[in-house]
Amino acid sequence: MKVLFVASECAPFVKTGGLADVVGAVPKALFELGVDVRIMMPAYPAVAPLLKSGTTVWHSDEFLGGKAELRSVRAEGLDLLLLDAPHLYDRPGSIYLDGAGQDWHDNHLRFGALCRAGAEVCLNGIGDWKPDIAHAHDWQAGLIPVYLKQANAAAPKSVITIHNIAFQGLFDSSVRQILGIDDNMFTHERVEYWGKVGFLKSGIALADKVTTVSPTYANELLDPEFGMGLEGLMDHRRSDLAGILNGIDVDTWNPATDKALKRNYTSRSLKRKAENRKQLEDRFGLSSKPGCPLFCVVSRLTTQKGLDVLLEVLPDLVEQGAQLALLGTGDPAIEDGFRRANEQFAGSVGTIIGYDEELSHLMQGGSDAILVPSRFEPCGLTQLYGLRYGTLPVVARTGGLADTVIDATPENVKSGKATGFQFAPVSKQELVKVIARVCDLYQQEDVWLSMQRAAMRYPVDWGSSAQAYKQLYEQMMDDQSINDGNLK
Ligand code: ADP
């Protein structure tokens, strides 16, 4: 079975968040199950060095304003199709934002081109490789199902995965001419969203199947509180919607072999975490307080992630004798808040504003607990890394966080099932309470150790979820009732 992934980022090449981790990891797990996945993504400057090693499998002299070619490259165990279109992607800085922090003015072209090229491969193949399934990820790939439905030729079936419904890719209705979206597509059942072209909306409306990254988030998406205006459409697609939980790459994230750690460890040698903690204390300017829990946060600094609430409870956290190491970038106001906290609570709160993959590993290896107080969280990955590293997750009871962390209730602690802490709702009061619970349990060394071991035993690999994707693809290929070339 051949599957084309289309996405705007892919680890380890280009990453701004969890989407990249997933796009980089699932194909490897699917390969083990006999599924041949190729990943199409833009050739941003970060991947330009790879272009030399590839072969050109398609080209155009005029592709939405400039020359473009598709280079087939094998790197880091992945088969990539890099869309090299310098007029769209060869620019410095963020892959989504310009120097002023605004969306690139031509994002509709940049990601519309990605979808056009993806559809081209789906419809005509490259050499003797033609996908059976097109798998679009997030809004940047949302027009793939549109182009496939518009085509007169037989097209592969398509699935879109929603990694975060908050990012929808909305553009002025005039872009549909340049993007080649047929007029009959511009209806509210298909591409139109309140007078605009909605990339994610289009994908959800027109893909044969829709998935999201956890069962709880799949349910939440039907609710106006989480559906971000698309809850009605989600409800309409309910019978085609599945929540397939994300996993993590357990080779990259392995405390026994992770080169970013000062000292490697397993569930039998958890005392060695102390050496990583020491390293972390030095990096973050924290004083040594061995008897007190060290919390960490590795995150985008946004209100989605609830980090404005964390700022409010820092005095309580410090008062309880706990410490915090935070790494992140995001909203300027939240960044400033944490910079100030670094001064105000020197020695107890250490913050580094920036993006640092290697340091994020050390944080999992050296902290006692990882805080994820998100207001909504489609799946979340840092709590999964926490489980794998015996760094107990402290999470809001929402989305994938609710699905992956077993709360330390008295019953769960007694039965040895507990792997972390859940709280709800995301409020100052509840966050203070859960931090107190963590501090309390941390003093019970035996209980803490058995929770760490339960966390490290918890399956976080891609095994069963890759199987679920494969089954979905098989089901789509068998189902003659879908994608018969007609619009739904
Ligand atoms: P989201 O995709 O919403 O940002 P996830 O938890 O799904 O959240 O994934 C975030 C990913 O990005 C994780 O792999 C996390 O370790 C990483 N990450 C987030 N911020 C940083 C940072 N400042 N430095 C390094 N890695 C980060």
Side-chain angles (χ1 to χ4, degrees), residues 15-22 163-164 167 246 253 298-301 304-305 327-329 352-361 364 372 377-383 385:
K15 167 172 166 179
T16 73
L19 167 65
D21 287 317
V22 174
H163 296 261
N164 191 337
F167 303 107
N246 280 343
W253 293 92
V298 180
S299 182
R300 289 186 288 119
L301 303 181
Q304 178 205 329
K305 301 290 181 179
L327 169 66
T329 54
I352 294 180
I353 304 301
Y355 193 95
D356 187 333
E357 189 73 30
E358 195 171 337
L359 180 57
S360 76
H361 284 243
Q364 297 284 1
V372 195
E377 193 59 77
C379 179
L381 294 178
T382 58
Q383 86 280 9
Y385 304 141

Side-chain angles (χ1 to χ4, degrees), residues 458-469:
Y458 191 83
V460 289
D461 64 11
W462 273 103
S464 58
S465 296
Q467 197 77 49
Y469 278 119

Side-chain angles (χ1 to χ4, degrees), residues 105-174:
H105 67 282
D106 55 352
N107 271 351
H108 61 291
L109 295 179
R110 298 173 75 237
F111 298 110
L114 181 69
C115 296
R116 286 265 291 263
E120 170 73 27
V121 170
C122 288
L123 294 168
N124 298 318
I126 42 173
D128 58 2
W129 195 88
K130 193 166 178 203
D132 302 301
I133 300 285
H135 191 155
H137 293 270
D138 266 353
W139 74 262
Q140 296 88 352
L143 294 187
I144 295 261
V146 178
Y147 292 132
L148 295 184
K149 295 285 183 204
Q150 278 185 185
N152 290 322
K157 294 172 183 182
S158 65
V159 49
I160 187 162
T161 296
I162 304 166
H163 296 261
N164 191 337
I165 208 162
F167 303 107
Q168 299 192 357
L170 293 177
F171 301 98
D172 191 84
S173 64
S174 60

Side-chain angles (χ1 to χ4, degrees), residues 9 11 23 52 87 138 153 182 205 276 296 312-313 330 346 432 442 449 461 464 466:
E9 45 185 284
V23 171
K52 283 192 228 90
H87 62 295
D138 266 353
D182 293 347
N276 298 319
C296 74
E312 287 179 40
V313 309
V432 170
Y442 190 71
L449 182 63
D461 64 11
S464 58

